[in-house]
Amino acid sequence: MIKFKKSIYRLVEKGSHGKKINLIFDYVIMSLIVLSIISIILESIKEIGSDFKIFLEWFDIFSVTVFSIEYLMRLYVSDLTHPTSNKFKSVLKFVFSINGLIDLFAVLPFYLPLLIKIDLRFLRTLRLIRFMRILKINRYTKSLNLIWSVLKDKKSELAVTGFVTLLLLIFASFVMYNIEGDKQPDAFPNILASFWWAVATLTTVGYGDVYPITGLGKFISGVIALMGIGVVALPTGIIGSGFIDRLKSDKNEEEQTCSYCGKTIK
Amino acid sequence: MIKFKKSIYRLVEKGSHGKKINLIFDYVIMSLIVLSIISIILESIKEIGSDFKIFLEWFDIFSVTVFSIEYLMRLYVSDLTHPTSNKFKSVLKFVFSINGLIDLFAVLPFYLPLLIKIDLRFLRTLRLIRFMRILKINRYTKSLNLIWSVLKDKKSELAVTGFVTLLLLIFASFVMYNIEGDKQPDAFPNILASFWWAVATLTTVGYGDVYPITGLGKFISGVIALMGIGVVALPTGIIGSGFIDRLKSDKNEEEQTCSYCGKTIK
Amino acid sequence: MIKFKKSIYRLVEKGSHGKKINLIFDYVIMSLIVLSIISIILESIKEIGSDFKIFLEWFDIFSVTVFSIEYLMRLYVSDLTHPTSNKFKSVLKFVFSINGLIDLFAVLPFYLPLLIKIDLRFLRTLRLIRFMRILKINRYTKSLNLIWSVLKDKKSELAVTGFVTLLLLIFASFVMYNIEGDKQPDAFPNILASFWWAVATLTTVGYGDVYPITGLGKFISGVIALMGIGVVALPTGIIGSGFIDRLKSDKNEEEQTCSYCGKTIK
Amino acid sequence: MIKFKKSIYRLVEKGSHGKKINLIFDYVIMSLIVLSIISIILESIKEIGSDFKIFLEWFDIFSVTVFSIEYLMRLYVSDLTHPTSNKFKSVLKFVFSINGLIDLFAVLPFYLPLLIKIDLRFLRTLRLIRFMRILKINRYTKSLNLIWSVLKDKKSELAVTGFVTLLLLIFASFVMYNIEGDKQPDAFPNILASFWWAVATLTTVGYGDVYPITGLGKFISGVIALMGIGVVALPTGIIGSGFIDRLKSDKNEEEQTCSYCGKTIK
């Protein structure tokens, strides 16, 4: 029994053990994830014939079955992957770990409508979470951690930038509502609508559905658009310096001490 | 009396003294600021029923009352927060300090219409200034100072970039007015209108309300749009190097001198 | 015979040998490339008279003839440029080298329709590949290699950024399809169409052909547009740090060792 | 006579001599430049009454008179500012120096129509060149030189980036013309029109006057828009590393040598 459990444990763990069966297992799951995303996209296209729709439904049932079996397997070996004092605690620890939740959301949208009445569209979007599993591929872990740690290093600066941006957006929408509200009651009926314009302008998206027509409004709009350059420049500069800082501190750890004066020499 | 004043002083000063009452005071003021901003936004939405409008008005009166009491408290203890030779000078020093002005603008728009006839819309926007108080939260002070000092370090380079951008905008609008003015008298009636196009193009907002239709106009427009890349790249590079420079100079201050050769060793 | 081959070899090789004839050969080929690109552009303009069209056709025949002769010359000296054990292997090595393929695609679109029936438009686009030869100009080789090596250094981080961007795009299009699909069946008929909106928003292009009209849709759209700032900031920061890293490692190689303590001194 | 010339020389040279008269002279010229730019902008606005138009014309005559006198003064002292073997050579040296040409273009557009028949619009734009004189203000010279030297340091990398961008634009317009040309003959009539779309997409301006409607066209468009991120990221990273590099080399010059081992210590 223990031997069987151990072989399942080896199977579901990441394919870094060099065994061929692990790699195949990994690739099958990854392919199923990508294919199931594509199948959801295809499902939404009305032009697709009903024959193909039935095939897509069958594929959905098949992929959920595989994901469910995998989830049960992971539940079964949770005392090996998440060792605690007793079996039940291990199960809970796995279920509420990030990986466990991602795996759960990959199958839950299928079973939930069978139990309770729920908005199907919202559920379908939940299925997308399974896509995040691809980020777990070994190869990218190091880079993902680097990017994550840079963002964490600079989170305070980025938060301030974000807050100033928010302040700017709110201020701009207030001003714009007061300036353009009378002239364009359809485009700027209230401050929320004005906020929509502010975001579209500051991020330089500029759909063109809402834009100022008065002279003063255009002036404010131009100022906001120019400030949009700073809104891009600040986080970029912060993130850039974060990457350089991290690369430097990685190197500093490799530094050695001068045997003569006892100080660090690069 | 002095004891009473001191307890008020401790209350209105930033909640870094570890006392629970200070933290509560801070959070109440912060919540009131955020709620009053939301209330101004909701006020502007016409769909909202009149019952709710009355509630919003009452909330406005309530929040201004709180802000007014807080302002009076700060005025009262201004000789402790801004010590000078006499009481009156301290009051003035507080009133015209940045924090004092922000606090004043948070309540002034409420009282001013009672005294003089004034444009209400402009006043409402002034109330937004109270939102800037959130930047005073302790946690962000260090990051805000860092960003500010980087922008100050590089203010000369950023000013030159800004000036060259302005030159480019003016030049582009003159050229465009001469090229497109005849063909699209509605879109490019004068150089000011042409300037609006120039800003929308250089910042890559591109609403789509004004765009060239002649071949030459499109060529100039394309050149301006491509230059827009440089307009983003230059300040970003400058700010990025500013952050790195500051991180480095922070570290250099921690450097020590080698006791042997008397030079700085990292 | 060998002498003749050597003189051809000297001719087709890059003009860095200081010989005037090589430089002339290079400039003629470069000019022909630029002119042939311009001729393809002019060919597409319907307003151009038939007389000029005939001239363009003759120019096309002329330029292809020159490129063909050059290709044959390179084939002829392939045992000198790509030395292997026998002549045939050298020819193959040249034909399937990047330079060889670029040269082949510069002439192939002309001959192919004479042999087999093929889509002419696709062929014409293939001719563009000849334009890549300009990148071979000596002067830019070092910079191109630097940029290339920076992108290679950071390929893992850039891939992760790209993947997270893709995830964001897919997630946004799913959500948007569910929100706006009912209200705007023409703009968001399926997830693929929704993906088109997501790309236009995240990259801040914002053509204005598709945009949300519901409140929730506008909120999601604003969030995506603001995330677009991060999508620009991350790769820029990564690439910037890559350039700085490379400049530093170039300098480090020039570092020397202190003869006293045996450690590296900058 | 020499004394008179010297006093004029002191007057027209940059106001860094601490003399009040120089500063006043500088500020008068600067104000006239800014005012004359504003007057050109106002001139273009049709709504402005004819009375004000006459005032603007008189102001134009006045400012040109002042600029002309200044130009004559600079011509007069050119043997002091541009010393050569004889007077005539000095005059020529000044006239064809960058500063001399800028000063000439500030007055030439006024006199030229008196001599020959010429397009007035083109002339008016030429007057803008006088605006460039503001860049000569002492305060910004250092920053302008820094930015300029960074761009010069990296000109080769920036040129390669620019060239790859051009290649991308040409390639995209060829492909798009072949894909969308049949479906939207008005938007993509030829490759030049397609190029206009390519620029608007790659720079993320996205006016919305031209956009793909076919599935394949949208796919290509999305790819180009995503590549636009790289087109911004590359020059930004290059310029950023250029600024850091220059700051570092400035510091390195201040480095000293260790008296013990004779090597450089930071």
Side-chain angles (χ1 to χ4, degrees):
Chain A
M1 190 63 192
I2 298 222
K3 212 181 152 194
F4 175 68
K5 192 173 225 170
K6 281 220 166 150
S7 66
I8 286 196
Y9 169 64
R10 277 198 295 270
L11 187 67
V12 295
E13 280 303 280
K14 256 185 239 156
S16 55
H17 304 279
K19 287 261 175 87
K20 222 179 174 181
I21 184 84
N22 287 340
L23 272 170
I24 290 168
F25 179 82
D26 264 26
Y27 278 115
V28 166
I29 295 288
M30 286 301 156
S31 311
L32 267 183
I33 290 170
V34 172
L35 284 173
S36 66
I37 298 292
I38 293 170
S39 103
I40 302 173
I41 294 173
L42 290 177
E43 232 177 270
S44 78
I45 301 174
K46 277 147 203 100
E47 286 78 16
I48 283 172
S50 53
D51 281 8
F52 195 68
K53 285 253 155 117
I54 290 162
F55 168 75
L56 288 176
E57 267 169 48
W58 277 108
F59 175 76
D60 201 33
I61 291 168
F62 169 70
S63 64
V64 166
T65 311
V66 174
F67 292 144
S68 304
I69 292 168
E70 192 213 354
Y71 189 67
L72 290 174
M73 274 155 72
R74 285 188 194 273
L75 271 181
Y76 177 59
V77 300
S78 56
D79 50 347
L80 292 172
T81 52
H82 297 77
T84 48
S85 53
N86 67 44
K87 175 75 194 158
F88 184 68
K89 270 191 188 168
S90 288
V91 168
L92 279 184
K93 210 175 165 186
F94 164 67
V95 169
F96 292 103
S97 69
I98 292 176
N99 287 344
L101 286 171
I102 289 176
D103 288 354
L104 185 61
F105 280 118
V107 294
L108 206 66
F110 187 80
Y111 298 114
L112 227 55
L114 307 176
L115 303 170
I116 50 161
K117 221 181 148 88
I118 209 164
D119 184 51
L120 274 172
R121 292 204 157 160
F122 175 68
L123 271 182
R124 275 183 197 143
T125 306
L126 269 187
R127 287 187 297 183
L128 271 179
I129 291 168
R130 68 175 75 151
F131 205 49
M132 291 179 71
R133 283 187 53 178
I134 289 178
L135 279 176
K136 292 198 284 180
I137 299 173
N138 244 352
R139 195 156 20 140
Y140 294 131
T141 312
K142 215 188 134 197
S143 297
L144 199 66
N145 284 344
L146 175 65
I147 292 173
W148 191 246
S149 63
V150 165
L151 293 179
K152 244 180 8 197
D153 283 358
K154 301 285 168 189
K155 73 160 176 269
S156 183
E157 280 93 338
L158 291 174
V160 168
T161 311
F163 184 76
V164 171
T165 305
L166 183 67
L167 207 74
L168 203 66
L169 285 173
I170 292 177
F171 202 79
S173 14
F174 272 68
V175 171
M176 211 56 168
Y177 167 65
N178 288 336
I179 293 172
E180 295 275 331
D182 287 341
K183 301 281 163 57
Q184 299 193 80
D186 289 334
F188 297 92
N190 53 55
I191 293 174
L192 269 189
S194 190
F195 196 79
W196 167 241
W197 159 85
V199 172
T201 302
L202 195 75
T203 59
T204 75
V205 169
Y207 286 122
D209 55 338
V210 189
Y211 50 84
I213 51 167
T214 66
L216 194 57
K218 285 180 176 180
F219 176 75
I220 302 285
S221 202
V223 171
I224 294 296
L226 286 168
M227 275 173 171
I229 292 171
V231 165
V232 172
L234 264 181
T236 306
I238 291 167
I239 289 171
S241 77
F243 274 104
I244 290 154
D245 215 38
R246 193 139 277 263
L247 289 168
K248 213 173 282 167
S249 65
D250 285 0
K251 271 183 197 153
N252 282 355
E253 284 165 17
E254 297 163 16
E255 275 175 4
Q256 286 174 311
T257 320
C258 165
S259 58
Y260 187 82
C261 59
K263 310 277 160 168
T264 306
I265 291 179
K266 216 175 185 173
Chain B
M1 190 63 192
I2 298 223
K3 213 182 150 194
F4 174 69
K5 192 174 225 170
K6 282 222 166 150
S7 67
I8 287 197
Y9 169 64
R10 278 198 295 268
L11 189 65
V12 296
E13 278 304 278
K14 255 185 242 156
S16 56
H17 304 279
K19 287 261 175 88
K20 222 178 174 180
I21 184 83
N22 286 341
L23 271 171
I24 291 169
F25 179 82
D26 262 27
Y27 278 115
V28 166
I29 294 288
M30 285 301 155
S31 311
L32 267 183
I33 290 171
V34 172
L35 284 172
S36 66
I37 298 292
I38 293 170
S39 104
I40 303 173
I41 294 174
L42 290 176
E43 233 178 86
S44 78
I45 301 174
K46 277 144 203 104
E47 286 78 15
I48 283 172
S50 53
D51 281 9
F52 196 68
K53 286 253 153 119
I54 290 161
F55 168 76
L56 288 177
E57 268 169 48
W58 277 107
F59 174 76
D60 201 32
I61 292 168
F62 169 70
S63 63
V64 166
T65 312
V66 174
F67 292 143
S68 303
I69 292 168
E70 193 215 353
Y71 189 68
L72 290 175
M73 275 157 71
R74 286 189 194 273
L75 272 183
Y76 177 58
V77 299
S78 57
D79 50 348
L80 292 172
T81 52
H82 297 76
T84 48
S85 52
N86 67 43
K87 175 75 193 157
F88 184 68
K89 269 191 188 168
S90 289
V91 167
L92 279 184
K93 210 175 166 186
F94 164 68
V95 169
F96 291 103
S97 69
I98 292 175
N99 287 344
L101 286 172
I102 289 175
D103 288 354
L104 185 63
F105 279 120
V107 294
L108 207 66
F110 188 80
Y111 298 113
L112 227 55
L114 307 175
L115 303 170
I116 50 161
K117 220 181 147 87
I118 208 163
D119 184 50
L120 274 171
R121 293 206 156 155
F122 175 68
L123 271 182
R124 275 183 197 142
T125 306
L126 269 186
R127 286 188 297 183
L128 272 178
I129 290 167
R130 69 175 73 149
F131 205 49
M132 290 179 73
R133 283 187 53 178
I134 290 178
L135 279 177
K136 292 199 284 181
I137 299 174
N138 242 351
R139 196 158 18 141
Y140 296 131
T141 313
K142 215 187 132 197
S143 298
L144 198 66
N145 284 345
L146 174 64
I147 292 172
W148 191 245
S149 63
V150 165
L151 292 179
K152 243 178 13 195
D153 283 358
K154 302 284 166 188
K155 73 162 177 270
S156 183
E157 279 93 339
L158 292 173
V160 168
T161 312
F163 184 75
V164 171
T165 305
L166 183 67
L167 206 73
L168 204 65
L169 285 172
I170 292 177
F171 201 78
S173 16
F174 272 68
V175 171
M176 212 57 168
Y177 167 66
N178 288 338
I179 293 171
E180 295 274 331
D182 286 341
K183 301 281 163 58
Q184 298 194 80
D186 290 334
F188 298 93
N190 52 55
I191 293 173
L192 269 188
S194 190
F195 196 78
W196 166 241
W197 158 85
V199 171
T201 302
L202 196 74
T203 60
T204 74
V205 170
Y207 286 122
D209 55 338
V210 189
Y211 51 83
I213 50 166
T214 65
L216 195 56
K218 285 181 175 180
F219 176 75
I220 302 283
S221 202
V223 171
I224 295 295
L226 286 168
M227 275 172 172
I229 293 172
V231 165
V232 172
L234 264 180
T236 306
I238 290 167
I239 289 172
S241 77
F243 274 103
I244 290 155
D245 216 37
R246 193 139 279 263
L247 289 167
K248 214 173 283 168
S249 64
D250 285 0
K251 271 182 197 151
N252 282 355
E253 283 165 17
E254 296 164 16
E255 274 176 4
Q256 286 174 312
T257 318
C258 166
S259 59
Y260 185 81
C261 59
K263 309 278 161 171
T264 306
I265 291 180
K266 221 175 185 170
Chain C
M1 191 60 193
I2 299 225
K3 212 180 152 194
F4 174 68
K5 192 174 226 170
K6 281 219 166 151
S7 68
I8 286 197
Y9 169 66
R10 276 197 297 269
L11 187 66
V12 296
E13 279 303 279
K14 258 185 237 156
S16 56
H17 304 279
K19 286 263 174 86
K20 223 180 175 178
I21 184 84
N22 286 341
L23 272 171
I24 291 169
F25 179 82
D26 263 25
Y27 279 114
V28 166
I29 294 288
M30 287 299 156
S31 312
L32 267 184
I33 290 171
V34 173
L35 284 173
S36 66
I37 298 292
I38 293 170
S39 102
I40 303 174
I41 294 174
L42 290 176
E43 231 178 87
S44 79
I45 301 173
K46 278 150 204 95
E47 286 78 16
I48 283 173
S50 54
D51 280 9
F52 195 68
K53 285 255 154 116
I54 289 162
F55 168 76
L56 288 176
E57 266 169 50
W58 277 108
F59 174 76
D60 201 34
I61 291 168
F62 169 70
S63 65
V64 166
T65 311
V66 175
F67 293 143
S68 303
I69 291 167
E70 191 215 354
Y71 188 68
L72 290 175
M73 273 155 72
R74 285 188 194 273
L75 271 183
Y76 177 59
V77 298
S78 57
D79 51 347
L80 292 172
T81 53
H82 297 76
T84 49
S85 53
N86 67 44
K87 175 75 193 156
F88 183 68
K89 270 190 187 169
S90 290
V91 168
L92 279 184
K93 211 175 166 186
F94 163 69
V95 169
F96 292 102
S97 68
I98 292 176
N99 287 345
L101 286 171
I102 290 175
D103 288 353
L104 185 61
F105 279 119
V107 294
L108 206 65
F110 188 81
Y111 298 113
L112 228 55
L114 308 176
L115 303 170
I116 50 162
K117 219 181 150 88
I118 210 164
D119 185 50
L120 274 172
R121 293 205 156 157
F122 175 68
L123 270 183
R124 276 184 196 141
T125 307
L126 270 186
R127 286 187 296 182
L128 272 178
I129 290 168
R130 68 174 75 149
F131 205 48
M132 290 180 73
R133 283 188 52 179
I134 290 177
L135 279 176
K136 293 198 283 179
I137 299 174
N138 244 352
R139 191 153 28 136
Y140 294 132
T141 313
K142 215 187 135 198
S143 297
L144 199 67
N145 283 345
L146 175 65
I147 293 172
W148 191 246
S149 64
V150 165
L151 293 179
K152 243 179 12 195
D153 282 358
K154 301 285 168 188
K155 72 162 179 268
S156 183
E157 279 93 337
L158 292 174
V160 169
T161 311
F163 185 75
V164 171
T165 305
L166 183 67
L167 207 74
L168 204 66
L169 286 172
I170 292 177
F171 202 78
S173 16
F174 272 68
V175 171
M176 212 57 168
Y177 167 65
N178 288 336
I179 293 172
E180 296 274 330
D182 286 343
K183 301 281 162 59
Q184 298 193 80
D186 289 334
F188 297 92
N190 52 55
I191 293 174
L192 269 188
S194 190
F195 196 78
W196 166 241
W197 158 85
V199 171
T201 303
L202 195 75
T203 58
T204 77
V205 168
Y207 286 122
D209 55 337
V210 189
Y211 51 84
I213 51 166
T214 66
L216 194 57
K218 285 180 176 180
F219 175 75
I220 302 285
S221 203
V223 171
I224 294 296
L226 286 168
M227 275 174 172
I229 293 171
V231 165
V232 172
L234 265 181
T236 306
I238 291 167
I239 288 171
S241 77
F243 274 104
I244 290 155
D245 216 39
R246 193 139 280 263
L247 289 168
K248 212 172 284 167
S249 64
D250 285 0
K251 271 183 196 151
N252 282 355
E253 284 165 18
E254 296 164 17
E255 275 175 2
Q256 284 174 311
T257 318
C258 165
S259 58
Y260 185 81
C261 58
K263 309 279 160 171
T264 306
I265 291 179
K266 220 177 183 168
Chain D
M1 190 64 192
I2 298 226
K3 213 182 152 193
F4 174 69
K5 193 174 223 172
K6 282 220 168 153
S7 67
I8 287 196
Y9 169 64
R10 276 196 297 269
L11 188 67
V12 297
E13 279 303 278
K14 256 184 239 156
S16 56
H17 304 280
K19 287 259 175 89
K20 223 180 174 177
I21 183 84
N22 286 340
L23 272 172
I24 291 168
F25 179 82
D26 263 26
Y27 278 115
V28 166
I29 294 288
M30 286 299 155
S31 311
L32 267 184
I33 290 171
V34 172
L35 284 172
S36 66
I37 298 293
I38 293 170
S39 103
I40 303 173
I41 294 174
L42 290 177
E43 233 177 85
S44 78
I45 301 174
K46 277 146 204 100
E47 287 77 16
I48 284 171
S50 54
D51 281 9
F52 195 69
K53 285 254 154 116
I54 289 162
F55 168 76
L56 288 176
E57 266 168 49
W58 277 109
F59 174 77
D60 201 33
I61 291 168
F62 169 70
S63 63
V64 165
T65 311
V66 174
F67 292 144
S68 302
I69 292 168
E70 193 214 354
Y71 189 68
L72 290 176
M73 274 156 72
R74 284 188 194 273
L75 270 183
Y76 177 58
V77 300
S78 57
D79 51 348
L80 291 172
T81 52
H82 297 76
T84 48
S85 53
N86 67 45
K87 175 74 193 158
F88 184 69
K89 269 190 188 169
S90 289
V91 167
L92 279 185
K93 211 175 165 186
F94 163 69
V95 169
F96 291 103
S97 69
I98 292 175
N99 287 344
L101 285 173
I102 289 175
D103 288 352
L104 185 62
F105 280 118
V107 294
L108 206 65
F110 187 81
Y111 298 114
L112 226 53
L114 307 176
L115 302 170
I116 50 162
K117 218 179 151 88
I118 207 164
D119 184 50
L120 274 171
R121 293 205 156 156
F122 175 69
L123 271 182
R124 276 183 196 141
T125 306
L126 269 186
R127 286 187 297 182
L128 272 178
I129 290 167
R130 68 173 76 149
F131 205 49
M132 290 180 73
R133 282 188 52 178
I134 290 178
L135 278 176
K136 292 199 285 181
I137 299 174
N138 244 351
R139 191 154 25 137
Y140 294 130
T141 314
K142 214 187 135 199
S143 296
L144 198 66
N145 284 344
L146 175 65
I147 293 172
W148 191 246
S149 64
V150 165
L151 293 178
K152 243 180 10 197
D153 282 358
K154 300 285 167 188
K155 73 162 179 269
S156 183
E157 278 94 338
L158 292 173
V160 168
T161 312
F163 183 75
V164 170
T165 305
L166 184 67
L167 206 73
L168 204 65
L169 285 172
I170 292 177
F171 201 78
S173 15
F174 271 68
V175 170
M176 212 57 168
Y177 167 66
N178 288 337
I179 294 172
E180 295 274 330
D182 286 341
K183 301 281 162 59
Q184 297 194 80
D186 289 335
F188 299 92
N190 52 56
I191 293 174
L192 268 189
S194 190
F195 196 78
W196 166 241
W197 158 85
V199 171
T201 301
L202 197 74
T203 59
T204 75
V205 169
Y207 286 121
D209 55 338
V210 189
Y211 51 83
I213 50 167
T214 65
L216 194 56
K218 285 181 176 180
F219 177 75
I220 302 285
S221 203
V223 171
I224 294 296
L226 286 169
M227 274 173 172
I229 293 172
V231 165
V232 172
L234 265 181
T236 307
I238 291 167
I239 289 171
S241 76
F243 274 104
I244 290 155
D245 216 38
R246 193 139 280 263
L247 289 168
K248 212 172 284 167
S249 63
D250 285 0
K251 272 182 195 151
N252 282 355
E253 283 165 17
E254 297 163 17
E255 274 176 4
Q256 286 173 310
T257 320
C258 167
S259 58
Y260 186 82
C261 59
K263 309 279 160 170
T264 306
I265 291 180
K266 219 177 184 169

